[in-house]
Amino acid sequence: MKFAYRFSNLLGAVYRQGNLNFSKDGNAVISPVGNRVSVFDLKNNTSETLPISTTKNITCVGVSPDGGLAIVVDEDGDALLVSLITRAVLHHFHFHKPVSSIRFSPDGRKFVVTKENVALMYHAPGKQREFNAFVLDKSYYGPYDETTCIDWTDDSKCFVVGSKDMSTWVFGAERWANLIYYSLGGHKDVIVGCFFEKDSLDLYTVSQDGVLCVWESDTELDGLVPKKRLDKPKPMRQEGDEEEENEDRVDGEEGEVIRGKTEPPKGKNKVKNVRYKHRSKHFFNKEGEFNNLTAASYHKPTHILVTGFASGMFHLHELPEFNLIHSLSISDQRIASVAINSSGDWIAFGCSRMGQLLVWEWQSESYVFKQQGHFNNMASLAYSSDGQYVVTGGDDGKVKVWNTNSGLCFVTFTEHTSSVTNVTFTSSGFVIVSASLDGTVRAFDLHRYRNFRTFTSPRPAQFSSLAVDVSGELVSAGAQDSFEIFLWSMQTGRLLEVLGGHEGPVSSLCFSPVQSILASASWDRTIRLWDMLDSWQVKETLPLTSDGLCVTYRPDGQELAVATLNGEISFWNPQTTAQTGSITGRHDLEAGRKETDKITAKQSAKGKSFMSLCYSADGESILAGGHSKFVCIYNVKEQMLMKKFEISCNLSFDAMEEFLDRRKMTEFGSLALVDEGGGDGDGEGVDISLPGVRRGDMSSRHFKPEIRVSSLRFSPTGRSWAATTTEGLLVYSLDGSLVFDPYDLDLDVTPGSIRKQLQLQEWASAIVLAFRLNENALKQEVLETVTHNQIPVVCGSLPDVYVEKLLGFVATCLEKSSHLQFYMTWAQNLLMLHGQRLKNRSSAILPTLQSLQKSIQRHFDNLSKLCDFNMYNIRYAVALSKQKGIKRPIKEEEEEHDEEMSEASIEESEMML
């Protein structure tokens, strides 16, 4: 049970590539992040990553009109049907080719998928369960090049498809006599978007060179005539398809085939075909300016067209008059995706190069949501003392602070000019310290969001490691070029001492949690323990068998763990300096083979090692990660592997598989190293720079990031742990709702017997029985049945072993429950009546107490803001009522105001108590 950690959230990455979608109510954005899908709730300001993952990066997401289903397709055309309500995968399907776009019909009965130059119409999965959820209905051929975008009419009778061959095709979703297919030209570049007008067949098409064409149809939607079926045993041919009879099957899939031609079909049934007229043409780019149009979206009820450009600009136009409403530059990078919510108020923009996701309210001209992940890899992370915040440092020189409850970043510090190598919180939880390769260590204040201290060395040095002591007064950083450790005072900002002695770069530092002793690991194969009280001398030197990479103390300070270059983790007693054990973990890392590697994964694994270590909150197990997709949890006492977590199954990363794909191997090397994209990964063609070169710039490099874990930390509450990886900041937490884990179970411990004790008002025995059965819903029912005035009596009569369990349960309930005073009374009585006994076991119950503190602090922050706001409003209302019709001298008013202020401060202090 203790290791039943499950993936719970992905922080630090908000958008990578693919299309954005709004939920049905328009309050949440569904964004593809690598091979996962995140849902950002804009009303409640929270983020959630769905517990699903594809085998490669996601390229397109289609959401059903009722908001219950989503179809997620990755780079290879592998699709998942996902329920957005239960968060479960309902069906797997493979399209066998990359899919460029996917759209459900407005009535939710069909969906169209475009791959290569074909549009495939499927029956949407219905309410009844079926063996194959994706049944192909029709295949539509027409465009000569890849298809790019889809739109449906409001009544789901027709759909339109845009293509890279600069043509747009309108197809009938059913068998219409006067509209089977219709081809439209008029553009000189790739079609980016095509949109039907509301309740009409009129059409707008937008191309990449910034041109909008308006097309007018001579027929209304009601004018579409159904085709009469002839009673023949074989299926009837479409008029445009007078080719061979056996072309009714495509790729072994069943379905009717409709082949469009550039000239309109001849009307045989005396029914006049639908015709389109080119009404007008508009240009987005001004004279002499060239800016590629990269994304477009249209809101039919309000007739608003949003277009995003390669320069980071976006325009809002009212159609069909093409009146510019609004224009703004939101980024300096290409806008990859645009979406509008159902009401038309909010517009979501995704920038794939920067990893930005923005939601803009165009009427008030303000941001509803603005998040950006680290531009490059994350280097390190740290939890605050109550587990409420996580700070991360990245190779882009930014320090970001994330709220673990909402999963969103609420402040970014950009003072560093080079990669941030290490970050940490002080014990107070309101100061963040970060070390960087730019030669500075900076301290940031979380109250005022400012950089209030900058520590530097006498000679410029690149800092690769960092540690702050328990008091928060001493800051130490290790240099990787001068082999020295620098010590500063947080209060004065002065350099106190430079500790020399290591003969190699200082790779890791750690202060003891109970003594003023600093442990430093170095590439010179030693661990040095420095005494901070005795004039900073070396107290002990521990010899290692290989280069030291990471050192960490157990939470009680009685043990030291060291990761070395040979893949071992060794454990030392810092008092006796004796080695107490070691774990050989190289085989557990199971490193993969990179596509550029000349040697096998088995051989390259000999050079892999753990880069990060972290003890669990109780000190019994240790978490280890490194150059691999696995994170291992070891039991320290038994020195054995307890569990391995695979942090990613995304094959878009390098070094994921143990063996290279033989099908890609040629006599000239691996085909995987050849970049087939048009220069860069997001589908945007690069200007042809060499004569005869068809695709992109041959000098641009294909980059495939390697999977690795750079830093690991356990939450102080012990309920979760986090890892900074190539994918982002992954949080794994205990999913307590599903596991039946009884304590001291007996035959008479049943829900019936527990409720019987409640009826007899035997509160203490009911609580003991509920905790022996250990089911959360039942425990909550028992606690909330106890009357308020009986709580002190019940707390006093509980056995000691159940006091800790009850305190832990109260802490978890307090986080979500609305019965604040009730659960606070429980916590207060438990701590008051059993305080001394709990204090004796403080190290064991520290995670529980920190979890309790985190819950109380969160409620205190929320309530204090609300109370202050209400208090000022009441004071304002009272002052107004006194002011009415009275003219008084200024002195009286000031005295009265002072009295009111003093009364208010007394009230506030009473509330705090």
Side-chain angles (χ1 to χ4, degrees), residues 715-773:
S715 165
T717 60
R719 300 284 305 166
S720 60
W721 56 269
T724 52
T725 67
T726 318
E727 209 168 7
L729 174 63
L730 300 172
V731 180
Y732 283 76
S733 56
L734 284 174
D735 189 4
S737 58
L738 301 173
V739 186
F740 177 59
D741 182 27
Y743 170 80
D744 192 17
L745 193 62
D746 208 341
L747 283 174
D748 58 344
V749 182
T750 61
S753 64
I754 293 167
R755 290 191 176 98
K756 195 174 178 186
Q757 292 290 340
L758 284 178
Q759 285 169 359
L760 297 170
Q761 297 194 350
E762 296 285 342
W763 311 122
S765 61
I767 287 173
V768 168
L769 286 174
F771 274 87
R772 283 173 68 182
L773 192 61

Side-chain angles (χ1 to χ4, degrees), residues 422 464-467 476-479 485 502 505-511 518-523 526-528 530 548-553 561-563 611-613 713:
N422 220 313
S464 58
S465 52
L466 175 74
S476 68
I485 300 166
H502 277 299
V506 180
S507 55
S508 180
L509 296 172
C510 186
F511 272 101
L518 174 70
S520 62
S522 169
W523 293 9
T526 61
I527 296 284
R528 289 174 189 253
W530 311 80
L549 300 178
C550 180
V551 62
T552 182
Y553 269 99
V562 185
M611 303 297 290
S612 181
L613 295 178
R713 287 290 176 272

Side-chain angles (χ1 to χ4, degrees), residues 487 496-499 516 530-538:
L487 276 172
L496 300 174
E497 189 66 41
V498 179
L499 308 178
S516 285
W530 311 80
D531 196 334
M532 296 290 108
L533 299 177
D534 188 14
S535 64
W536 299 300
Q537 292 177 348
V538 179

Side-chain angles (χ1 to χ4, degrees), residues 280-493:
S280 58
K281 198 172 200 177
H282 304 283
F283 298 91
F284 288 95
N285 291 324
K286 297 182 183 72
E287 201 64 45
E289 173 193 330
F290 188 74
N291 191 356
N292 263 356
L293 191 149
T294 53
S297 184
Y298 180 61
H299 189 246
K300 294 179 186 180
T302 54
H303 308 291
I304 285 175
L305 175 74
V306 185
T307 47
F309 292 86
S311 63
M313 288 268 298
F314 79 87
H315 295 324
L316 256 75
H317 284 89
E318 191 179 11
L319 297 183
E321 291 82 21
F322 198 67
N323 301 328
L324 181 66
I325 300 171
H326 185 59
S327 175
L328 185 75
S329 177
I330 52 166
S331 175
D332 54 358
Q333 295 290 342
R334 168 182 184 272
I335 295 174
S337 180
V338 174
I340 312 180
N341 76 342
S342 50
S343 63
D345 297 332
W346 292 349
I347 305 164
F349 299 97
C351 303
S352 55
R353 291 246 189 97
M354 299 283 284
Q356 271 180 325
L357 179 61
L358 313 164
V359 179
W360 175 260
E361 186 170 34
W362 64 272
Q363 283 158 327
S364 64
E365 298 191 12
S366 59
Y367 285 111
V368 178
F369 182 87
K370 189 179 184 183
Q371 289 281 304
Q372 182 182 343
H374 284 283
F375 181 57
N376 291 339
N377 288 339
M378 288 187 188
S380 67
L381 87 144
Y383 269 100
S384 63
S385 52
D386 58 0
Q388 202 159 345
Y389 304 127
V390 174
V391 60
T392 57
D395 289 349
D396 56 358
K398 288 179 181 165
V399 174
K400 287 178 174 282
V401 190
W402 308 82
N403 188 322
T404 52
N405 297 316
S406 69
L408 299 177
C409 170
F410 63 92
V411 62
T412 302
F413 299 107
T414 56
E415 278 79 2
H416 283 295
T417 55
S418 186
S419 298
V420 176
T421 51
N422 220 313
V423 286
T424 185
F425 269 97
T426 59
S427 52
S428 69
F430 294 109
V431 175
I432 292 166
V433 187
S434 62
S436 169
L437 295 179
D438 64 4
T440 62
V441 173
R442 293 176 187 269
F444 303 97
D445 177 8
L446 273 190
H447 285 305
R448 295 182 187 83
Y449 299 148
R450 64 194 179 99
N451 173 207
F452 70 94
R453 284 271 182 278
T454 303
F455 309 104
T456 55
S457 53
R459 287 189 309 279
Q462 292 189 313
F463 297 119
S464 58
S465 52
L466 175 74
V468 179
D469 78 333
V470 183
S471 65
E473 169 55 26
L474 282 177
V475 178
S476 68
Q480 65 178 25
D481 42 9
S482 65
F483 314 158
E484 292 166 329
I485 300 166
F486 298 87
L487 276 172
W488 296 274
S489 163
M490 180 72 88
Q491 292 278 293
T492 61

